[in-house]
Amino acid sequence: MPTVIITDHGFPGVELQRKVIEAAGFTLQEIKPNCKTEQEVIQKCGEADVLMVQWAPITRVVLEGLPRVRGVVRYGVGVDNIDIQIARELGCTVSNVPYYCQDEVSDHAIAMVLSLARRIPHDHNQVRAGKWGISPFLPIPAFSDLTLGFVAFGSIARKVSEKAKPFRFRQIAFDPVVSADSFAKYGVEPVDRDTLIRTANIISLHCPLLPETRQMINAGSIAQMKPGVLLVNTARGGLVNEADLVTALKAGKLAGAGLDVFEKEPLATGSPLRGLSNVILTSHAAAVSTRSRERLQIQAAEAARDILLGKRPAGALT
Ligand SMILES: NC(=O)c1ccc[n+]([C@@H]2O[C@H](COP(=O)([O-])OP(=O)(O)OC[C@H]3O[C@@H](n4cnc5c(N)ncnc54)[C@H](O)[C@@H]3O)[C@@H](O)[C@H]2O)c1
């Protein structure tokens, strides 16, 4: 019987996945403890037709060592641990789970935008440190005087845009793919990348990490920004040069930053970001809620089932 094997995961159990896979007449196996190395995956998953993977490395060595595998499903959006190119060459379908956490990530981003614009982390940190008074954080512009700029206007940015509407920011966005009609539907003004960097008071990053977006927030782009700009990054850590960001936060060029993702995760214990009182730091947690974790498990299992049924999963990448 066709078999799905879970190489590794961080959930309390796999009952949600089991229901989906077994209802379709297939078998589900869970490897315990989690596979961590290429050799463990090869040794323990020889019977797999489809792998479900959270962090285990699915490399050329693994895919060539498991010729029976015709599909790999990643629990999550990023597929950095899977060699997509070799999977494509071998005719193996790779799928992620693209739509399980848009609500949560957009909630997280808007929470950071509002907190920073109201200087809540700044004041919170000083009050905890025994100080009092808002004057160190002035000026504090009214929301209606601020421009919120989205780098990319995909599914998460659109939800942030909707959630930001009642707060009366002016909204602008740069996205090289999105049509003028789509921007108009959301009441968002399309601009080019330079205009966004130069005119936004709050910059929220929502693009993928690509060669052209890697470290797009750096000393050069920061120099073009308005004084007192706020940066929110719930997308990917590699979009930001952290050393340049720290310099700008210390100099007051940026009034604050909200960061859920980092160049290296977990964030180093000695990172200078940890010592700044004008930043909000969260541990790549924007996607997390009880519901989103359930959706992730169910949708990943549905993708594995669809591969076995010969259907293309919604998140197919190869
Ligand atoms: N923090 C988390 O836990 C978490 C969870 C899910 C997603 N994410 C990240 O959030 C980001 C957005 O996710 P999404 O679901 O909205 O993706 P999406 O695919 O719906 O949207 C991405 C948008 O980026 C645009 N884009 C592509 N290249 C660009 C470029 N060079 N400059 C500007 N825009 C560009 C695309 O046109 C698209 O509209 C991704 O980086 C994703 O990895 C983070």
Side-chain angles (χ1 to χ4, degrees):
M1 191 184 295
T3 299
V4 176
I5 297 187
I6 301 176
T7 58
D8 63 312
H9 68 87
F11 306 108
V14 296
E15 286 320 299
L16 292 169
Q17 292 90 313
R18 191 176 299 289
K19 259 193 206 160
V20 173
I21 299 297
E22 292 184 355
F26 305 127
T27 301
L28 182 80
Q29 283 180 34
E30 174 193 9
I31 306 296
K32 279 187 191 173
N34 282 343
C35 294
K36 288 190 176 151
T37 65
E38 293 168 320
Q39 283 316 313
E40 283 170 355
V41 179
I42 294 169
Q43 280 161 15
K44 296 179 180 175
C45 301
E47 290 171 36
D49 297 279
V50 173
L51 297 174
M52 292 175 70
V53 176
Q54 192 137 14
W55 305 288
I58 308 299
T59 58
R60 172 184 286 275
V61 175
V62 169
L63 290 171
E64 287 180 347
L66 296 173
R68 188 173 156 154
V69 167
R70 59 188 145 118
V72 178
V73 178
R74 166 89 218 291
Y75 284 110
V77 179
V79 286
D80 307 349
N81 56 327
I82 301 171
D83 188 332
I84 299 272
Q85 189 52 41
I86 183 68
R88 194 173 280 127
E89 280 170 30
L90 294 171
C92 173
T93 303
V94 174
S95 179
N96 65 357
V97 183
Y99 303 119
Y100 76 100
C101 62
Q102 270 71 14
D103 281 329
E104 285 77 6
V105 179
S106 56
D107 288 344
H108 207 87
I110 193 71
M112 285 179 161
V113 166
L114 300 179
S115 299
L116 290 167
R118 290 301 315 152
R119 306 293 190 263
I120 288 172
H122 311 60
D123 204 6
H124 170 80
N125 286 318
Q126 73 148 2
V127 172
R128 284 178 70 107
K131 298 179 190 159
W132 187 260
I134 197 76
S135 47
F137 317 123
L138 297 175
I140 303 179
F143 286 178
S144 55
D145 291 328
L146 292 174
T147 297
L148 171 57
F150 298 103
V151 176
F153 203 61
S155 51
I156 293 174
R158 289 172 200 212
K159 284 185 178 272
V160 181
S161 166
E162 283 179 332
K163 290 167 188 178
K165 286 261 149 56
F167 296 99
R168 296 168 291 118
F169 300 108
R170 174 184 170 225
Q171 296 192 26
I172 61 174
F174 164 65
D175 192 310
V177 175
V178 169
S179 71
D181 281 357
S182 298
F183 286 118
K185 200 173 129 201
Y186 286 84
V188 170
E189 196 183 317
V191 294
D192 61 38
R193 184 163 139 170
D194 280 355
T195 305
L196 186 134
I197 295 289
R198 279 191 281 102
T199 53
N201 304 102
I202 307 167
I203 297 174
S204 194
L205 305 179
H206 298 284
C207 58
L209 182 59
L210 302 168
E212 63 270 28
T213 59
R214 185 174 289 281
Q215 302 220 335
M216 60 171 294
I217 304 298
N218 56 36
S221 56
I222 290 170
Q224 292 179 43
M225 293 177 190
K226 286 191 162 171
V229 71
L230 302 170
L231 176 74
V232 169
N233 186 9
T234 55
R236 283 290 176 264
L239 300 173
V240 177
N241 179 315
E242 274 170 20
D244 292 352
L245 176 65
V246 167
T247 303
L249 285 163
K250 283 185 175 165
K253 168 79 189 196
L254 266 84
L259 307 172
D260 183 52
V261 286
F262 302 90
E263 283 177 339
K264 281 204 181 123
E265 296 178 7
L267 183 65
T269 43
S271 164
L273 283 168
R274 291 186 189 260
L276 298 178
S277 58
N278 54 352
V279 298
I280 304 172
L281 305 172
T282 54
S283 45
H284 203 144
V288 177
S289 79
T290 309
R291 289 258 183 230
S292 69
R293 283 168 78 91
E294 286 172 7
R295 285 196 294 269
L296 176 57
Q297 293 172 80
I298 292 168
Q299 291 176 15
E302 287 171 347
R305 175 203 63 196
D306 287 352
I307 293 169
L308 289 176
L309 292 172
K311 291 191 204 162
R312 197 169 162 74
L317 301 165
T318 59

